[in-house]
Structure formats: structure tokens, C-alpha cells
């Protein structure tokens, strides 16, 4: 009280034993001031801590818990348990000043029991109010919470894992489909990959990119195939041209030779025929001599025919060119060969659709066509099967007219094919073939700017064809005079120049 009067400030006493109550007490002393604010006295309030203890004890706390009030010197002022025993005891573990005491701490109390403390500072004292729950009780209380939290955490982890697994499954499904599409392309199958459902945008974009890439690859592949095919065709064309050049050169050389031979043979042959005709006029000849002369005449006639063919082979032109309707040529060939073909049970079909005319020599073109048909007939007859089929086709091809003769004979062997148009090439028996028909035909067609050739056909036989250009008659030079150029007259062979065209 003296201190209050002297300082004029409120004072909290140390722990004392109440004079009246005999119980642990604290005196709270406050100054009393007059109107002039002078300290004129002091008033003290005794705080019976036993009542406080009763209050602390009534707080519902778990078994073994304790509520303690300590003063600034860490002396126990009030305690909910065993108050009589510990009041006034100094708690050694409380740090000084008590304001430094942490809000929560775990330590052994004055009774030696380890507790989990929650601390609060009462400013007035200052006093420290602590609520301690035994750590074992706290742990027992917290355990279910831990278990619940653990269960919640485990459930959450499991849920996350399930979602992740499901997502990974979707992802791996999408990737698997992409992988199989890649493998399909790697195996050379460039057909468009099917668009499947994918779990996210990135995979969808990847799939789109992949489909585009496959389409580009397919296009590139097709372009490459196309290029390779073009190159193959060009190579074939080049090889065919090379073969033609070689053949033409060979034919030209043979043409020069043949022309010379024909020229040399024609004069003695004419002389023989003339002499034979003179001899024939002698009426006194014996029959066997007359027979011999007839034989000489026949053989000389044959020789003249061969020379005539040779002359055609090497000549530049055998007659005046004119507008020729190849339909007329076909009609005449049919008329000429029909009877013979019927006799061999060979059916002759005609398919004519060409409307335009060509500019050539009718007889020569007829000769070429006739040669094709006779060769076709002979090839069928050579099989010995006594029936067959020949088709003559005539149609327009651009600015050309094309004539084809198809047969169902044995066809031409690959070894014979390159020799077909060479003079004297024949596979027929002696006396039946001269090997000049196709080479003469070659010369004729080439002389009119056309082309001639052979290919195999679907019947397994041969197809021989020629194409002649349709020429505007206005652009054709006037026909040369026909005097002395008759094809029946072998004499002009002697005057004809040899052309390197063949
Ligand atoms: P030739 O008929 O006198 O033998 P060609 O020049 O007309 O002479 O024919 C030459 C060769 O071409 C023939 O011997 C034959 O081997 C072959 N040939 C021609 N036409 C045909 C055909 N339609 N089928 C099979 N081979 C053919």
C-alpha cells in the first residue's frame, strides 16, 4: 500500500496468505486521488486464489489436464489440480521474462508430467495462464484425427492415381493408334490413316499433323511412281527408236545391195526369156524339148517375179500417189482372199470405222494389206488345226488412219521379232516364203511417211499394222508422170535410183 501511495501506480502484491481466509491470496492495490489528482490513499483488493482454483477446476478438460496461473517470478499462483501442493512453487522451465514464453510448448510441469501447453499472458500481473493437456491424452485425442486425415489423404492419393491411370490409359490408347498408323506407313501402306478419338488437344493436333504427313507422303509416292513410269516409257521409246535406226541402216545397206543384184540379174534374165520365146516359135521341136523350154520359161518367170519384188523393195516410188480410201482397199483384199480363207475354215471379220482418206498408191497399200492377210492365213494353216480367225480393223487415230490385221495363229517368237522386216527373213519352207513381203511392205509404208509394226495380241497370235498420215491434198505436190513407171514392168528397176529411206 505504501508503494502505491509513494508511486501513485497500481501494484500487484506477491503471493501471500490471506489474513482472514488463511488461503493463498494476492492483493491488487490501486491509488485513490483527490479532485486535484493528488494521491490521498490506496485501496487493496484481496484475490482469493482458492476461488480461482475452483474456477479452473470447473473447466471441462481431458483427464490429467491442468490450468495454471503463474506470476512474473514463475511462482504458481493457482492450479486446477493439487493446488495446495504446488502453489508458491517456482516453475523452473518457464523462461524469464514470462513475456518470452511461446504460445505453445511441450514440457514437463512441476508435477513432472509431460504436457502440451497453451500459454496466454495476463497483462495486469503480468501473469502466465497455461492450459496443459498430457501429451499422452493429446496423442490419444489426435490419433483418430490423424487416422481420419490419413484416410482422407490416402483416399485423395488413390483418387488422383485412378484419374492419372485413366488419363494415362486414354493417352496410351491414342498414342497406340498413332503408333500403329506409323508402323502401317513404315510397312509401305500409304492409305489414309483413320481419324480416331483422342483424349486431348495436343494429341488431336498430332494426329491431324500425322494424317497430313501421310497424305503428303502418298502424293509424293504417287508422283514418284508416275515419274518412274514416264521414265520407263521414255526408255522403251528410246530403245525402240534405237532399234529402228539400226534396222533402217541395215535395210538401207541391204537395199543398195539388192538393187545392184536386181539390176545385174534383170538383163540376162530378159535375154533368157527372149531367147526362150524365140525357141518356142520353132514348130519342129520335139515334145520333150518343148517341155524343157516351158520349164525354163516358168522358172525364169519366177525369177522375174522375185526381181520385181526386189525392185519394189529398193525403189522409191512404184506408182503415182493419189487419195486412197482404205475401206476400198480392205474391201478388195476381202474379195480376193475370201474364197481361199473359206477353204481353210478361217473366219475373216472386218471392223471398219475410218472416215478419212490417205494419200498413197492404191496398189501398193493393197499389196501390204494382202501380205498381212496371206501371212496371217499361212501362220494359222501352219498350226494344222484347220480353223482360225482373222480380223481386219480400220480406224482413225489422230491425223492418221490405222489398219490392223489380227490372227489367232501361233504369233511371233521374241527371237524372230527384231528380224521380221529384214529382207529375206523367213521361217517358211523353201518355195513358200521369200522373206521379202514384210520388208517390201516396210519400204512402201515408210515412203508415204507412215509407220509399220507388229505386236502380240490377246488371242495369242500376231497383229500386224500400219498407219498412214491423212494429208491435205492441197499441200501434196502434183503427181509425177506415170510413163515408164508401171509396177508390172521390171525394166524401170534398172533406171531407178536407190533411196536410203528403207
Ligand atoms: P514370207 O512370208 O515370204 O516368209 P514375210 O516378209 O512376209 O516373208 O514374212 C517374214 C516372216 O515373218 C515370216 O516367214 C514369218 O516367220 C513371220 N510372219 C509374218 N507374218 C506372220 C504372222 N501373221 N504370224 C506369224 N509369223 C509371221
Amino acid at each position: 500500500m505504501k508503494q502505491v501511495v509513494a508511486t501513485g501506480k497500481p501494484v500487484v502484491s506477491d503471493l501471500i496468505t490471506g489474513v482472514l481466509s488463511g488461503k493463498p491470496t494476492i492483493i491488487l492495490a490501486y491509488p485513490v486521488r483527490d479532485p486535484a489528482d493528488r494521491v490521498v490513499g490506496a485501496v487493496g483488493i484481496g484475490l482469493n486464489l482458492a476461488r480461482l482454483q475452483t474456477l479452473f477446476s470447473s473447466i471441462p478438460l481431458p483427464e490429467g489436464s491442468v490450468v495454471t496461473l503463474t506470476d512474473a517470478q514463475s511462482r504458481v499462483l493457482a492450479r486446477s489440480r493439487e493446488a495446495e501442493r504446488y502453489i508458491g512453487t517456482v516453475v523452473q522451465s518457464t523462461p524469464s521474462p514470462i513475456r518470452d514464453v511461446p504460445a505453445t510448448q511441450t514440457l514437463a510441469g512441476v508435477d513432472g508430467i509431460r504436457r502440451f501447453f497453451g500459454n496466454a499472458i495476463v497483462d495486469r500481473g503480468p501473469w502466465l495462464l497455461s492450459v496443459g493437456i498430457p501429451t499422452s491424452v493429446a496423442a490419444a485425442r489426435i490419433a483418430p484425427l490423424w487416422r481420419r486425415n490419413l484416410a482422407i489423404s490416402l483416399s485423395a492419393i488413390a483418387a488422383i492415381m485412378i484419374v492419372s491411370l485413366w488419363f494415362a490409359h486414354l493417352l496410351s490408347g491414342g498414342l497406340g493408334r498413332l503408333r500403329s498408323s506409323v508402323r502401317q506407313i513404315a510397312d509401305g501402306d500409304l492409305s489414309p490413316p483413320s481419324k480416331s478419338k483422342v483424349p486431348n488437344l495436343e494429341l488431336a493436333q498430332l494426329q491431324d499433323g500425322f494424317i497430313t504427313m501421310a497424305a503428303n507422303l502418298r502424293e509424293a509416292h504417287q508422283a514418284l511412281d508416275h515419274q518412274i513410269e514416264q521414265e520407263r516409257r521414255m526408255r522403251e521409246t528410246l530403245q525402240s527408236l534405237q532399234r529402228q535406226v539400226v534396222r533402217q541402216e541395215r535395210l538401207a545397206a541391204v537395199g543398195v545391195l539388192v538393187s545392184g543384184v536386181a539390176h545385174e540379174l534383170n538383163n540376162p534374165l530378159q535375154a533368157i526369156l527372149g531367147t526362150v520365146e524365140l525357141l518356142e516359135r520353132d514348130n519342129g521341136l520335139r515334145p520333150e524339148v518343148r517341155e524343157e523350154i516351158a520349164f525354163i520359161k516358168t522358172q525364169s518367170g519366177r525369177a522375174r517375179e522375185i526381181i520385181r519384188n526386189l525392185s519394189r523393195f529398193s525403189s522409191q516410188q512404184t506408182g503415182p500417189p493419189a487419195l486412197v480410201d482404205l475401206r476400198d482397199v480392205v474391201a478388195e483384199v476381202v474379195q480376193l482372199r475370201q474364197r481361199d480363207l473359206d477353204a481353210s475354215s478361217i473366219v475373216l471379220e472386218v471392223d471398219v470405222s475410218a472416215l478419212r482418206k490417205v494419200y498413197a498408191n492404191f496398189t501398193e497399200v493393197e499389196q501390204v494389206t494382202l501380205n498381212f492377210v496371206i501371212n496371217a492365213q499361212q501362220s494359222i494353216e501352219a498350226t494344222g488345226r484347220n480353223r482360225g480367225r482373222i480380223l481386219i480393223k480400220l480406224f482413225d487415230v489422230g491425223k492418221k488412219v490405222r489398219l490392223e490385221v489380227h490372227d489367232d495363229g501361233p504369233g511371233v517368237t521374241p527371237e524372230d521379232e527384231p528380224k521380221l522386216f529384214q529382207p529375206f527373213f523367213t521361217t517358211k519352207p523353201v518355195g513358200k516364203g521369200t522373206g521379202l513381203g514384210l520388208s517390201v511392205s516396210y519400204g512402201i509404208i515408210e515412203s508415204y511417211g507412215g509407220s509399220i509394226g507388229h505386236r502380240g495380241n490377246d488371242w495369242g497370235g500376231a497383229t500386224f499394222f500400219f498407219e498412214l498420215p491423212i494429208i491435205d491434198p492441197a499441200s501434196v505436190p502434183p503427181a509425177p508422170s506415170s510413163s515408164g513407171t508401171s509396177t508390172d514392168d521390171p525394166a524401170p528397176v534398172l533406171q531407178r535410183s536407190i533411196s536410203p529411206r528403207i
Side-chain angles (χ1 to χ4, degrees):
M1 291 298 195
K2 283 180 196 159
Q3 195 181 340
V4 172
V5 173
T7 61
K9 289 183 181 167
V11 171
V12 179
S13 78
D14 288 340
L15 181 68
I16 57 169
T17 302
V19 182
L20 297 176
S21 64
K23 302 275 181 192
T25 304
I26 284 176
I27 306 293
L28 305 178
Y30 297 92
V32 179
R33 296 176 186 275
D34 65 4
D37 205 28
R38 282 190 306 257
V39 179
V40 290
V43 63
I45 301 167
L47 199 63
N48 185 351
L49 294 178
R51 299 292 295 273
L52 204 59
Q53 279 165 204
T54 314
L55 185 71
F56 285 176
S57 307
S58 66
I59 296 173
L61 286 172
E63 185 64 28
S65 301
V66 63
V67 181
T68 314
L69 185 72
T70 51
D71 65 7
Q73 285 77 43
S74 300
R75 276 176 310 184
V76 177
L77 297 181
R79 201 168 188 272
S80 59
R81 293 163 61 89
E82 298 174 292
E84 295 77 23
R85 189 171 165 194
Y86 293 111
I87 292 259
T89 310
V90 175
V91 181
Q92 299 298 340
S93 55
T94 306
S96 179
I98 61 166
R99 288 192 188 282
D100 294 344
V101 174
T104 57
Q105 63 186 149
T106 305
L107 47 83
V110 283
D111 55 2
I113 297 173
R114 212 170 158 72
R115 290 188 177 84
F116 178 74
F117 285 97
N119 301 316
I121 305 294
V122 181
D123 286 337
R124 174 60 69 193
W127 300 313
L128 175 68
L129 181 65
S130 305
V131 178
I133 300 171
T135 48
S136 56
V137 174
R141 286 287 175 98
I142 288 168
L145 282 177
W146 271 103
R147 276 199 293 276
R148 200 184 67 194
N149 285 350
L150 190 70
I152 290 171
S153 303
L154 287 177
S155 308
I157 289 169
I160 289 170
M161 278 177 70
I162 288 169
V163 169
S164 303
L165 279 174
W166 174 72
F167 191 70
H169 171 72
L170 284 182
L171 208 64
S172 72
L175 283 174
R177 282 188 286 277
L178 277 181
R179 201 186 309 119
S180 65
S181 300
V182 172
R183 195 170 299 136
Q184 173 190 327
I185 288 182
D187 290 346
D189 179 1
L190 294 177
S191 56
S194 54
K195 202 166 178 170
S196 50
K197 248 180 110 181
V198 285
N200 60 27
L201 186 66
E202 283 78 10
L203 267 185
Q205 286 173 344
L206 189 64
Q207 189 183 53
D208 285 349
F210 188 70
I211 289 172
T212 312
M213 184 194 79
N216 290 346
L217 262 178
R218 200 166 49 253
E219 272 175 28
H221 197 273
Q222 280 166 357
L224 205 65
D225 279 353
H226 181 66
Q227 203 174 332
I228 289 172
E229 177 61 20
Q230 271 189 336
E231 277 176 18
R232 190 186 63 77
R233 282 205 203 121
M234 274 172 63
R235 214 172 29 249
E236 276 178 13
T237 312
L238 201 67
Q239 283 170 351
S240 153
L241 281 172
Q242 276 173 342
R243 278 200 300 272
Q244 269 187 37
V245 168
V246 170
R247 190 163 60 196
Q248 283 190 354
E249 279 174 359
R250 200 178 301 156
L251 287 178
V254 174
V256 173
L257 178 73
V258 164
S259 170
V261 172
H263 177 86
E264 293 302 325
L265 284 178
N266 195 51
N267 284 341
L269 202 59
Q270 288 298 332
I272 292 169
L273 275 168
T275 311
V276 167
E277 275 168 14
L278 277 178
L279 282 173
E280 244 182 348
R281 284 186 202 154
D282 185 350
N283 291 331
L285 287 177
R286 291 202 313 273
E288 53 276 25
V289 176
R290 194 169 286 282
E291 231 173 75
E292 295 294 328
I293 289 173
F295 179 72
I296 295 170
K297 206 176 160 188
T298 318
Q299 294 306 315
S300 303
R302 264 196 75 199
R304 192 177 59 178
E305 266 310 301
I306 291 172
I307 287 176
R308 194 175 286 162
N309 271 335
L310 289 174
S311 76
R312 281 201 193 115
F313 168 71
S314 58
S315 70
Q316 194 159 28
Q317 200 162 301
T318 52
L323 270 181
V324 175
D325 189 339
L326 289 177
R327 289 178 296 187
D328 296 339
V329 171
V330 172
E332 208 160 309
V333 169
V334 170
Q335 201 186 9
L336 281 170
R337 300 304 308 162
Q338 190 69 67
R339 190 193 295 239
D340 216 26
L341 289 168
D342 287 347
S344 297
S345 304
I346 295 171
V347 178
L348 177 63
E349 294 164 78
V350 175
D351 176 1
V352 171
S353 65
L355 297 173
R356 290 179 283 184
K357 294 181 180 177
V358 296
Y359 205 68
N361 178 283
F362 187 98
T363 316
E364 285 183 336
V365 179
E366 184 187 37
Q367 183 191 341
V368 175
T369 313
L370 208 52
N371 190 44
F372 282 177
V373 174
I374 291 172
N375 276 344
Q377 179 182 355
Q378 288 178 343
S379 76
I380 294 168
E381 286 170 349
T383 63
R385 61 172 193 250
N386 206 26
R387 69 186 155 76
R389 192 174 171 198
I390 294 175
L391 166 66
I392 303 176
K393 276 183 87 172
L394 184 66
F395 52 98
D396 294 328
V397 183
K399 290 188 171 173
K400 291 183 174 178
V401 179
R402 184 176 171 104
L403 187 143
E404 293 180 349
V405 176
H406 305 250
D407 67 61
D408 64 350
V412 176
T413 63
E415 304 83 63
D416 288 347
E417 227 240 335
K419 304 179 229 160
L420 282 176
F421 296 92
Q422 285 178 11
F424 307 112
F425 170 73
T426 182
T427 56
K428 293 171 191 167
V430 181
K432 222 172 180 194
T434 59
L436 285 173
L438 287 178
S439 57
V440 168
S441 302
Y442 183 93
I444 291 169
I445 297 301
E446 290 277 306
S447 72
Y448 295 116
S451 55
I452 187 167
H454 156 268
R455 63 174 169 81
N457 63 29
D458 294 343
W459 301 343
T463 293
F464 281 84
F465 60 88
F466 67 77
E467 280 181 4
L468 283 173
I470 302 149
I471 300 176
D472 179 4
S475 70
V476 175
S481 156
S482 63
S483 61
T485 56
S486 163
T487 47
D488 292 337
D489 181 7
V493 171
L494 302 172
Q495 284 93 48
R496 275 182 193 141
S497 61
I498 303 304
S499 163
R501 67 182 164 73
I502 43 177

